[in-house]
């Protein structure tokens, strides 16, 4: 779609600020480059793993950016892949060091499961975040009261940990108010807006906040009404994140009850991108969505 293409073109032109991304993007950039070097030399993942005293699966995790790098392992792999350019080697070793630098959310380690670390790094560094939600308003657009109601639906926990989860969710939203925010493009099922998460006053405040955020130039909100019937993403919520720099592929995130899944086959990623493109056609356009949100608010 034309709108998505214009966002993508602007995204590719941005310089990557690793101070802002945490470890996730450096890991992905380094992993992608190491995969290119390995494949160019015709070296198997098993042989590469043996060189760094690890398994083929460890090489796979490194190349997908799912774990940090040891400088020694990177140096050994560069030697195996025949990299003699000192400037490139130093750049890749610098990325290895950055891949172990904690993101700002590290202070919430007690309430952030390991599988969520990757997502938070992507969310905080992405230039484009596209999401479909079936049950809830997305975390980046929740009010504090609404967020608390959502968190309380989860497993029983201490009041202190619940407060920290909410504090983290509110802190994540700062990404939308920084100097160079990502473009957030959200498609909501009408069910997410009709489902009460508290009293009427809470829901009206949430709807007011959603309307206000939808007026920002970098936030697009659309609603798929019940009248649309079945649609492309009826199975569940999906988030597609575009890393900065224009070189890395989009990342698909599927949140589940006890973890997160990241489909990484190019054909799967393309399928989810196609699904999101279909959704924005089936949903109310942004201007109509704002009128629809006012209508729901009057009914609340």
């Amino acid at each position: 779609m034309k709108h998505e293409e214009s966002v993508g073109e602007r995204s590719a032109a941005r310089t990557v600020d690793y101070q802002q991304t945490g470890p996730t993007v450096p890991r992905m950039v380094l992993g992608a480059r190491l995969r290119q070097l390995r494949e160019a030399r015709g070296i198997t993942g098993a042989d590469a793993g043996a060189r760094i005293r690890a398994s083929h699966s460890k090489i796979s995790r490194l190349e997908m950016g799912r774990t940090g790098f040891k400088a020694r392992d990177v140096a050994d792999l560069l030697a195996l892949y025949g990299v003699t350019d000192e400037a490139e080697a130093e750049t890749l070793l610098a990325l290895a060091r950055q891949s172990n630098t904690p993101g700002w959310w590290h202070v919430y380690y007690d309430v952030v499961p390991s599988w969520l670390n990757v997502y938070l790094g992507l969310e905080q560094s992405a230039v484009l975040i596209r999401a479909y939600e079936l049950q809830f308003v997305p975390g980046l657009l929740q009010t504090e009261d609404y967020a608390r109601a959502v968190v309380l639906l989860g497993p029983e926990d201490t009041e202190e940990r619940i407060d920290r989860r909410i504090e983290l969710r509110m802190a994540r939203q700062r990404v939308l108010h920084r100097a160079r925010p990502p473009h957030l493009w959200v498609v909501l099922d009408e069910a997410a807006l009709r489902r009460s998460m508290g009293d009427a006053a809470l829901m009206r405040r949430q709807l007011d906040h959603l309307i206000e955020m939808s007026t920002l130039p970098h936030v697009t909100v659309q609603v798929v009404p019940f009248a649309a019937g079945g649609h492309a993403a009826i199975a569940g919520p999906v988030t597609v994140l575009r890393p900065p720099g224009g070189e890395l592929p989009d990342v698909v995130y599927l949140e589940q009850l006890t973890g997160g899944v990241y489909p990484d086959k190019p054909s799967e990623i393309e399928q989810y991108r196609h699904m999101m493109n279909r959704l924005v056609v089936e949903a109310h356009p942004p201007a109509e969505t704002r009128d629809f949100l006012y209508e729901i608010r009057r009914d609340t």
Side-chain angles (χ1 to χ4, degrees), residues 5 15 24 42 59 75-76 103 175 180 197 204 222 225 267-268:
E5 289 171 356
T15 301
T24 302
I59 292 294
D76 287 347
V175 72
R180 301 174 72 182
M197 297 299 296
R204 284 194 292 268
Q222 295 182 255
S267 60
E268 293 177 326

Side-chain angles (χ1 to χ4, degrees), residues 213-226:
M213 292 299 292
S214 73
T215 65
L216 296 177
H218 57 281
V219 176
T220 301
V221 178
Q222 295 182 255
V223 173
V224 181
F226 290 144

Side-chain angles (χ1 to χ4, degrees), residues 226-240:
F226 290 144
H231 54 77
I234 197 72
V238 179
T239 303
V240 182

Side-chain angles (χ1 to χ4, degrees), residues 121-134:
L122 288 165
E123 179 185 79
Q124 295 298 302
S125 62
V127 293
L128 174 64
I129 304 172
R130 303 182 72 186
Y132 165 72
E133 282 288 348
L134 177 64

